[in-house]
Amino acid sequence: MILFIHRKDLRTSDLPAFDAIASAQEDSLHVLILEPFLLRNKRYLEHSGQNFLQHVARLQQEYAKQGKLLHLLYGEPEAILQRLAGVHPIQEVSIHADYTPYALTRDRLLQDTAYALNLRFHARHDSMLCDLEAFMDWCGRSEPFKVFTPFYRRWRAFLAQRFRPPYAAGLSSLRTVALHPQLADAFQLPEAIARELTALAPAAEQMNPDHVFENFLHADLNDYKVNRDHYAQERTSRISRHLNTGAISARTLYSRLTEEEDIGEDWLRQLAWRDFYLGQARLDRDFFNYENVYDLSALGTQHFEAWAQGRTGIPVIDAAMRQLNATGWMPNRLRMITAMFLTKNLGCPFIYGERYFRLKLSDYDNAQNRGGWLWSSSLGFDASPYFRVMNPVTQSQTHDPSGSYIRTWLPERADWSDKDIHLPDEDAIVDLKRSRAYAIEVYKEIMQSRQS
Ligand SMILES: Cc1cc2nc3c(=O)[nH]c(=O)nc-3n(C[C@H](O)[C@H](O)[C@H](O)COP(=O)(O)OP(=O)(O)OC[C@H]3O[C@@H](n4cnc5c(N)ncnc54)[C@H](O)[C@@H]3O)c2cc1C
C-alpha cells in the first residue's frame, strides 16, 4: 500500500504521484494533513487561509464525486505517519516536494521517519512548468540564472523541445482505501476548522479553475499585453490562487495554451517569472535569507500600520491596500507600487510587507511573494535597481487615467475630477520627492552592506 499525502497539489488529475501509484498497481491511502504550524493564530480566517481551505473543500468534493476516499487529518505529519504505519500495511510514502525552509525541514523529518519504519519515500517535483533538474542539465548549468531574460529564452526553447505533457493517470484509475476509524478519531480536525470547511463548501462547489482559464483564453489573452497593467479593468487571468494551491497545474495551462492560434507570448512570459522564482527558491541559498545578507538596520517600521490599513494619504496606495484587505486580491502592478512605496518611500524592511501579504493575499505563495518583495526592494537576482522608486501618483495617472480604481476603493474621492483624484492628501504621511531622494541614499548603502 502507498500512503499519498496531498500538499500544494489539490487536484485529481495530472499528478506525477498518481501516475506512479497507477503503474505500481497498488492500493493507496490518501490523506491531506492540516498542520498546526500552518494554521496558527487563526490564519485560516485570513484570505490566504480561506483560499486554501476552499480548495481543500473542493478536493473533498472531487474525491466524493469519483467515489474515492480522501481523509483529512490534523497533526504533525511524522507522528501521523508513525501511527498510520502501525495499523495499515504501508510500504511507501509519496508526496510532491515543497521547497520553503519550513517544508524542507518537515519533509526531512518525514523522510527520516519513513526510513526508520523501513518504508520507501518518494518526493516528486510537480510545481514548476519546467522540471528544474532536466532544464539545468539541458542548459549545461549548475548555477542558477541570475537574470530573467536569458533564463526566459532558454526556458522557452526547453519547453518547445522537451515539454512534459500532463500525466495521464487520474484519480479514477486508483484504488483508494479507507482509514482505520481509530486513527480518524485520533487526528480529527479541530471543530473550528471543520466548521470553516462546511461553510466554504458551497463556494468551493462553484469554483472551477478550468473555466477560469478558459474564460481568460477566450476573452482576454489576445489583449493581455495592452491590458495587463490597466488594473482597473481586471483583465488578467486570475489563475494564481488556483495555481498556487495546485488546483490546476502549470503543465495543464501550458498544454491548453499551445492549442491556441496565438500562444500569448506575453502571458507565457509572466508564467516564466513563476518558474524563475521557484527555481531560485531551490538554487539560490540566500533566497529566503536576504534580510540577513544585507544590513537593513537603517530602515524602520514607523509607518507600517498606516500602509497596511490604507491610511497613507497617497490615493492609489490606500485604494490598493483597502482592496487587498477587503478581498484578498491586488493586481500585479499595484503589488509592485505598494511594495516599493513601503520599502523605499516609507523605509520599511521588506519582511514586514512580505509577512502582511502572506496573510492577506488569496493567492499567497511563499516563493512568488518573496520574489515580488525582493524585486521591489532591489534585493535578490534581477531585482529593480536600488535607485528605482516608482512614483505612485504618476503610476496611477498612467495606468488608470480616469481614476476609476481609486473611485471604487476610496469612496471619499468618488466625485473628484480625473485630474485631482490621483494627487496626495495635504496631510499625506510622506512627501514623495523627499522620501524618494532619501531612499536612494539609504538603499545605496544597503547595497554596499552585502555580506558575501
Ligand atoms: C510584492 C509582490 C508580491 C507578490 N506575491 C505573490 C504571491 O504571493 N503569489 C503569486 O502567485 N504571485 C505573487 N506576485 C506576482 C503577481 O502579482 C501575481 O502572480 C499576479 O498578480 C497574479 O495574477 P494573475 O493570475 O491574474 O496573473 P496573470 O497576469 O494572468 O499571469 C499569469 C501567471 O503568471 C505568474 N505571474 C504573473 N506575474 C508574476 C510575477 N510578477 N511574478 C511571478 N509570477 C508571476 C502567476 O503564476 C500568474 O498567475 C507578487 C508580486 C509582487 C510585486
Side-chain angles (χ1 to χ4, degrees):
M1 178 187 294
I2 297 176
L3 171 66
F4 173 65
I5 307 176
H6 269 290
R7 292 282 178 69
K8 295 178 186 166
D9 51 15
L10 305 183
R11 63 183 185 275
T12 57
S13 61
D14 185 25
L15 289 115
F18 280 14
D19 245 45
I21 297 171
S23 310
Q25 297 190 327
E26 289 198 40
D27 289 347
S28 48
L29 176 59
H30 292 220
V31 302
L32 192 154
I33 301 176
L34 295 169
E35 297 161 35
F37 177 78
L38 296 176
L39 296 170
R40 69 196 184 283
N41 302 331
K42 296 201 172 165
R43 184 167 160 191
Y44 55 88
L45 296 177
E46 300 281 358
H47 297 305
S48 56
Q50 289 275 299
N51 180 57
F52 182 73
L53 287 188
Q54 198 172 334
H55 281 91
V56 171
R58 180 171 180 271
L59 187 70
Q60 283 182 300
Q61 292 161 1
E62 292 292 310
Y63 268 76
K65 266 188 228 157
Q66 299 186 41
K68 301 291 173 181
L69 297 168
L70 170 69
H71 306 282
L72 259 53
L73 305 176
Y74 179 78
E76 301 301 340
E78 74 282 1
I80 292 178
L81 171 59
Q82 244 155 5
R83 290 287 303 277
L84 259 54
V87 176
H88 292 279
I90 295 169
Q91 290 159 328
E92 178 179 320
V93 179
S94 176
I95 57 167
H96 292 119
D98 192 357
Y99 316 101
T100 66
Y102 168 80
L104 290 173
T105 307
R106 175 196 61 198
D107 291 346
R108 220 169 288 128
L109 212 57
L110 191 66
Q111 178 174 321
D112 291 348
T113 309
Y115 288 161
L117 293 164
N118 275 326
L119 310 180
R120 299 187 298 273
F121 183 87
H122 278 295
R124 294 182 170 80
H125 300 300
D126 174 54
S127 50
M128 283 179 73
L129 178 51
C130 276
D131 176 84
L132 188 62
E133 273 89 18
F135 173 60
M136 296 295 280
D137 271 2
W138 182 81
C139 293
R141 287 177 75 104
S142 53
E143 291 296 306
F145 283 88
K146 293 192 171 175
V147 183
F148 177 74
T149 301
F151 164 82
Y152 177 64
R153 275 196 217 109
R154 302 297 283 156
W155 183 89
R156 274 301 271 128
F158 179 79
L159 279 180
Q161 288 180 25
R162 300 275 177 97
F163 171 58
R164 203 233 166 275
Y167 289 81
L171 179 63
S172 57
S173 60
L174 307 187
R175 297 192 307 266
T176 59
V177 298
L179 182 70
H180 193 289
Q182 235 178 18
L183 294 174
D185 287 348
F187 297 109
Q188 68 177 304
L189 302 189
E191 221 178 285
I193 294 176
R195 254 200 323 271
E196 279 306 310
L197 279 170
T198 311
L200 290 166
E205 188 107 47
Q206 302 300 317
M207 189 165 67
N208 188 327
D210 292 310
H211 288 175
V212 171
F213 194 54
E214 285 303 319
N215 287 342
F216 169 72
L217 291 181
H218 292 134
D220 293 319
L221 179 66
N222 285 344
D223 298 325
Y224 178 78
K225 185 177 183 177
V226 179
N227 288 332
R228 58 186 285 253
D229 283 330
H230 295 162
Y231 47 78
Q233 297 175 20
E234 300 279 7
R235 303 277 300 274
T236 62
S237 69
R238 300 289 291 263
I239 202 68
S240 50
R241 79 185 181 103
H242 308 296
L243 192 53
N244 294 337
T245 54
I248 193 163
S249 71
R251 283 179 298 275
T252 300
L253 298 182
Y254 180 75
S255 176
R256 180 62 194 83
L257 196 65
T258 52
E259 291 166 14
E260 294 294 302
E261 219 167 90
D262 175 359
I263 192 169
E265 199 65 42
D266 294 289
W267 190 81
L268 197 54
R269 196 179 161 88
Q270 290 311 112
L271 203 60
W273 274 102
R274 179 175 182 271
D275 268 13
F276 187 56
Y277 288 139
L278 283 170
Q280 283 176 42
R282 286 166 63 185
L283 298 179
D284 175 7
R285 66 190 162 84
D286 290 326
F287 188 71
F288 289 110
N289 190 40
Y290 278 106
E291 56 274 41
N292 300 313
V293 169
Y294 291 96
D295 178 4
L296 303 181
S297 61
L299 304 174
T301 58
Q302 188 193 354
H303 294 304
F304 172 74
E305 272 306 316
W307 173 85
Q309 302 310 319
R311 287 186 285 99
T312 66
I314 309 294
V316 74
I317 300 289
D318 293 347
M321 295 309 293
R322 290 191 205 179
Q323 181 186 29
L324 175 67
N325 291 335
T327 66
W329 174 252
M330 188 193 284
N332 181 59
R333 177 145 296 265
L334 292 172
R335 296 184 199 196
M336 286 154 57
I337 300 171
T338 52
M340 217 177 244
F341 181 74
L342 179 72
T343 54
K344 301 273 176 80
N345 298 86
L346 300 183
C348 180
F350 78 90
I351 49 170
Y352 286 84
E354 181 194 29
R355 210 175 291 154
Y356 194 73
F357 273 23
R358 178 179 302 153
L359 294 177
K360 298 295 175 189
L361 280 174
S362 292
D363 68 3
Y364 166 69
D365 174 87
N366 198 321
Q368 306 310 319
N369 193 42
R370 175 151 277 245
W373 279 95
L374 289 175
W375 183 89
S376 307
S377 56
S378 304
L379 309 175
F381 295 169
D382 208 356
S384 65
Y386 77 89
F387 47 80
R388 182 162 185 212
V389 185
M390 287 174 171
N391 182 319
V393 172
T394 48
Q395 288 285 322
S396 182
Q397 288 162 336
T398 307
H399 299 294
D400 179 29
S402 70
S404 71
Y405 181 82
I406 297 176
R407 284 177 219 286
T408 304
W409 292 104
L410 294 187
E412 63 270 31
R413 284 197 178 223
D415 299 329
W416 287 42
S417 70
D418 291 5
K419 185 159 171 266
D420 292 341
I421 194 159
H422 309 279
L423 303 178
D425 285 347
E426 274 175 14
D427 58 352
I429 62 173
V430 279
D431 175 87
L432 291 176
K433 215 169 156 190
R434 270 203 305 274
S435 59
R436 175 178 186 278
Y438 184 63
I440 291 173
E441 271 176 44
V442 170
Y443 272 84
K444 186 172 185 184
E445 283 182 19
I446 289 176
M447 293 297 111
Q448 287 162 358
S449 73
R450 182 175 181 143
Q451 319 278 317
S452 55

